[in-house]
């Protein structure tokens, strides 16, 4: 297997200019039986770039050998170059965009991970997080496993390798039975492309087709970019296998009521994607409409915090009748490795990405719309920016409920002590960010925006634990004091 040298020391991690941002999880992509497998995978990863900007990788198989290219940085930093794609020959490939929720940002943690098993090569790309990964890792190491990375995904490789089953698919399913948490997996062997989704469907995975070749991807936007046809969502708990004999679907788990992650709709998925049969863009507008119905205040203009707050602000404006204005302009060309040499320059970081549109807000009562509030640091800076630009009143509205509990399924949240809503009252939060008023949409309101009558506490239809503390799976590793810290690596806000 071809592999690049470890050049992690030459890549600087992007400074955190957005202290309120939730970090994306990861994006996965796979294709089987296409002569341009690697190039198509690279394009698919471009569309999934929003799900992880730290690293990207592709593993391809040419019928005899596996070939790997994994790099820190954006997809375009590596995979837009012809010579790189030419080093990935073959008709099958899997790819991954990464933001680390477990494991350091070093090259050996970049996916897809690859191992030579007794039946041949095996590559795996994982979106999600295992809540018993540390426990399984410790058991595997105790039994002689030699780990090459610090990611929870490597546990899956070892579980497959240690299985005594004869058929690969049986070994793969046995490994899945051992893991807990959230996962959408795309795997490649010398004969098969395999996709798998956790039994609750927490993480998304869709099936498409291009020129007769099956495609697996985290979101439908990855199908759109290559002109592929959307076929269906991979079902929660489904394992689907593609090989020379066609497709085989396995349902190895007892049926459960699905609980997909509600943050896919609030924040993570691209607005042009369809997730679980719902338009993400339309859903976010509906969340803004519900927010207006629950929390409206007299105002002159509705201003989104770009870009994630735009659909909700459109919905809020439509429901309230107050005009929508781009009162904040985002600079999309901020360098990823911009060096901030002094504290005074670091404090100006928010202005590198966001600038006030004075003509739209001066002398006016404005309602700022954002999709979430985590620490409050960026919100505070944006409120001040609006006041400095002449806004008469600044009302902050959040199109999701207060985040009071950390996530352990692939969203990089702080531990509970770092979540503003977990440690402050609403009035304390309002005072901290400096707004004239602050309000969130209710949990029931989010469900109504999703087309539900409200949240049924006995049978919630979404993984909404960040708002409710109702975690949908066991949290085996969370019994350890340091585990939440290991599973939550959001950089401290400056």
């Amino acid at each position: 297997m071809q592999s690049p040298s470890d050049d992690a020391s030459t890549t600087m991690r992007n400074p955190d200019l957005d202290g309120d941002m939730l970090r994306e999880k990861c994006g996965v992509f796979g294709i089987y039986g296409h002569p341009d497998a690697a190039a198509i995978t690279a394009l698919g990863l471009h569309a999934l770039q929003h799900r992880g900007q730290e690293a990207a990788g592709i593993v391809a198989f040419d019928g005899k050998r596996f070939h790997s290219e994994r790099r820190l940085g954006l997809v375009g930093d590596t995979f837009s170059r012809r010579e790189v794609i030419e080093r990935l020959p073959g008709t099958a490939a899997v790819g991954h965009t990464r933001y680390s929720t477990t494991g350091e940002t070093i090259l050996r943690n970049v996916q897809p991970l690859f191992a030579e098993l007794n039946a041949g090569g095996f590559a795996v790309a994982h979106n999600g997080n295992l809540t018993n990964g540390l426990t399984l890792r410790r058991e595997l190491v105790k039994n002689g496993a030699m780990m090459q990375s610090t990611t929870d995904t490597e546990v899956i490789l070892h579980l497959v390798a240690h299985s005594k089953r004869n058929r690969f698919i049986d070994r793969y399913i046995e490994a899945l039975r051992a893991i807990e948490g959230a996962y959408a997996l795309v795997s490649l062997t010398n004969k098969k492309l395999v996709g798998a989704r956790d039994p609750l469907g927490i993480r998304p995975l869709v099936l498409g087709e291009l020129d007769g070749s099956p495609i697996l991807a985290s979101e439908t936007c990855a199908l759109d970019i290559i002109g592929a046809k959307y076929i269906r969502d991979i079902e929660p708990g489904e394992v689907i296998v593609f090989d020379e004999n066609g497709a085989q679907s396995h349902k190895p788990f007892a049926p459960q009521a699905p609980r997909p992650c509600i943050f896919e709709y609030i924040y993570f998925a691209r607005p042009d994607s369809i997730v679980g049969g719902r338009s993400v863009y339309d859903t976010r507008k509906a969340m803004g409409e519900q927010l207006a119905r629950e929390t409206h205040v007299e105002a002159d203009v509705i201003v989104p915090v770009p870009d994630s707050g735009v659909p909700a602000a459109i919905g809020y404006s439509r429901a309230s009748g107050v005009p929508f204005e781009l009162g904040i302009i985002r600079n999309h060309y901020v360098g990823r490795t911009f060096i901030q040499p002094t504290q005074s320059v670091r404090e100006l970081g928010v202005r590198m990405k966001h600038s006030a549109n004075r003509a739209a807000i001066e002398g006016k009562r404005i309602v700022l719309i954002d999709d979430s509030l985590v620490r409050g640091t960026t919100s505070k800076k944006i409120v001040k920016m609006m006041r400095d630009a002449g806004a008469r009143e600044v009302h902050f509205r959040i199109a999701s409920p207060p985040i009071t509990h950390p996530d352990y399924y692939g969203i990089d949240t702080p531990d509970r002590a770092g979540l503003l809503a977990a440690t402050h009252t609403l009035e304390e939060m309002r005072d901290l960010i400096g707004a004239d008023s602050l309000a969130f949409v209710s949990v029931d309101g989010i469900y109504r925006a999703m087309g539900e009558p409200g949240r049924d506490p006995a049978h919630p239809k979404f993984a909404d634990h960040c708002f409710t503390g109702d975690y949908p799976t066991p949290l085996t590793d969370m019994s350890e004091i340091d585990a939440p810290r290991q599973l939550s690596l959001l950089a401290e806000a400056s």
Side-chain angles (χ1 to χ4, degrees), residues 196-216:
R197 196 173 176 202
D198 63 76
L200 292 175
I202 299 173
R203 297 274 72 88
L205 190 64
V206 300
L207 171 63
E209 183 181 287
L210 178 67
D211 303 329
S213 297
I215 294 171
L216 296 167

Side-chain angles (χ1 to χ4, degrees), residues 20-210:
D20 275 359
M21 286 180 63
L22 293 170
R23 296 289 190 174
E24 290 86 339
K25 301 173 288 292
C26 296
V28 296
F29 188 96
I31 185 168
Y32 182 85
H34 198 286
D36 298 317
I40 290 168
T41 300
L43 288 171
L45 295 182
H46 272 288
L48 299 173
Q49 186 72 86
H50 61 288
R51 299 186 72 89
Q53 297 89 48
E54 287 189 347
I58 295 175
V59 172
F61 182 64
D62 66 5
K64 295 182 179 180
R65 298 184 61 195
F66 285 87
H67 307 267
S68 174
E69 291 286 338
R70 299 179 299 147
R71 291 285 191 275
L72 299 177
L74 300 176
V75 175
D77 293 345
T78 296
F79 296 103
S80 60
R81 302 200 301 269
R82 177 181 295 180
E83 64 270 21
V84 175
I85 298 301
E86 289 176 347
R87 293 200 296 267
L88 294 165
T91 59
V94 293
H96 188 265
T97 62
R98 182 173 194 262
Y99 177 76
S100 61
T101 51
T102 59
E104 301 171 277
T105 307
I106 52 178
L107 192 58
R108 64 192 174 104
N109 285 340
V110 179
Q111 298 185 36
L113 298 183
F114 178 86
E116 289 284 358
L117 308 185
N118 62 352
F122 176 44
V124 60
H126 173 205
N127 170 28
N129 211 74
L130 306 184
T131 55
N132 66 339
L134 295 173
T135 300
L136 290 173
R137 181 186 182 93
R138 186 177 299 112
E139 293 173 357
L140 287 163
V141 170
K142 183 179 179 180
N143 291 327
M146 294 181 289
M147 297 286 179
Q148 300 299 309
S149 75
T150 59
T151 72
D152 59 345
T153 308
E154 190 176 2
V155 166
I156 299 169
L157 285 173
H158 285 276
L159 289 172
V160 173
H162 280 72
S163 173
K164 304 301 183 184
R165 304 274 183 156
N166 293 324
R167 296 195 310 157
F168 170 82
I169 189 59
D170 295 328
R171 299 169 71 181
Y172 190 85
I173 288 173
E174 185 175 68
L176 297 185
R177 291 186 185 279
I179 64 179
E180 300 170 355
Y183 55 84
L185 300 172
V186 176
S187 305
L188 184 65
T189 74
N190 53 2
K191 295 181 179 180
K192 307 176 188 297
L193 175 70
V194 184
R197 196 173 176 202
D198 63 76
L200 292 175
I202 299 173
R203 297 274 72 88
L205 190 64
V206 300
L207 171 63
E209 183 181 287
L210 178 67

